[in-house]
Structure formats: structure tokens, C-alpha cells
Amino acid sequence: MPVQPSNDTRPAATGRPAYSQSLPCEAESAIRARRLVRAACTAWELADLAEAGALVVSELVANAVAHSGSRCLRVTVSRPGPRRVRIAVIDKSRTYPVRRTPSAEDENGRGLAIVEAISARWGTDGLPWGKRVWAELRAPYEEK
């Protein structure tokens, strides 16, 4: 059975297919963010990107929770191309994330390295009131 977005999920006004959802800036929000990503990927017939997207959004939400100091965040999932999905987490902090290289003993600091490894590309966009951290996934083209 396909995963469905919750009732407070709505299409984003971006001019291309997208979904967005505002969530509390807390660790438990990663569950709802993963659900949103999986539902969008399934709706767009890009189920092969759903689990990678769920992992990416989990890491982006975790970074926002740990470092932004925001009370809420916004998750967006858009489709910038036929075989691409862009996942973003928006918060009110103007501090950009920095990819670290943790030692083997470090318990944290691997999130952006995971995002970089899984995604085709990722980045941060400054906003007047915060930032958007995003990652883009690309599905392989099918041989015909």
C-alpha cells in the first residue's frame, strides 16, 4: 500500500511538482519528514529514490534540530526533473552547515558526509530570515 502524505501536507507553490510540510524542530519530526519524502517519491513513480531520500531528510532534519535553535522547520520535496528529486530543510538560523571529517571515536559529525555520499549534489541557500539546506537525488535511467 502506498504511503500517503498527512492531512497538513500540501503542494508547494514552486511552479513544479512539490510537497512541503512545517514541523516542530525536534528529533521526532524526522519520522514525518521521511514519510513525506517516501510519499512524494511514490507519487512521482520514483520509488527507487524513496529510501535514499528518507535517509537524506533524516540527516538534514537532525542537523536543523541540533544546530539551528529554531522552534520549527519546513521540509520540501520537489521534482526539478523527470528523474530527479530535491529534498530541502528550511530553518531560521543563518549559520551554514559545514561538512566535517570526524575521527573514528566521534559520535557525531557524519550527517553531511552521508548526504554528500548519497546525493548527486547538495548545498545551502541563504534566505532573508534563515537558510535552506538541500540535496538532490537522481534516479538511474532505464535501458530501453
Side-chain angles (χ1 to χ4, degrees):
M1 183 155 126
V3 180
Q4 297 296 318
S6 67
N7 290 339
D8 61 342
T9 302
R10 60 190 161 115
T14 61
R16 60 182 176 218
Y19 294 92
S20 66
Q21 189 171 22
S22 293
L23 301 168
C25 194
E26 56 191 38
E28 293 78 17
S29 291
I31 296 166
R32 291 174 62 191
R34 288 190 297 269
R35 192 176 302 138
L36 177 68
V37 169
R38 288 180 180 125
C41 288
T42 301
W44 296 328
E45 297 181 2
L46 294 170
D48 49 339
L49 296 179
E51 291 310 310
L55 180 54
V56 165
V57 81
S58 290
E59 296 300 337
L60 296 181
V61 167
N63 277 352
V65 169
H67 303 293
S68 74
S70 299
R71 289 189 2 222
C72 63
L73 55 86
R74 185 157 197 82
V75 176
T76 64
V77 188
S78 60
R79 188 176 175 192
R83 303 289 296 159
R84 294 185 301 156
V85 172
R86 186 174 181 146
I87 299 160
V89 173
I90 302 160
D91 63 51
K92 295 193 178 200
S93 171
R94 292 187 180 166
T95 304
Y96 282 27
V98 176
R99 185 187 174 286
R100 297 184 336 152
T101 305
S103 71
E105 293 78 34
D106 288 338
E107 293 183 16
N108 299 307
R110 291 172 180 78
L112 290 178
I114 291 169
V115 170
E116 185 175 275
I118 293 173
S119 63
R121 60 190 191 123
W122 73 277
T124 305
D125 300 325
L127 303 171
W129 42 264
K131 69 179 174 302
R132 174 188 306 114
V133 183
W134 56 269
E136 197 170 284
L137 303 172
R138 291 187 184 140
Y141 285 94
E142 298 172 3
E143 298 281 331
K144 298 217 180 195

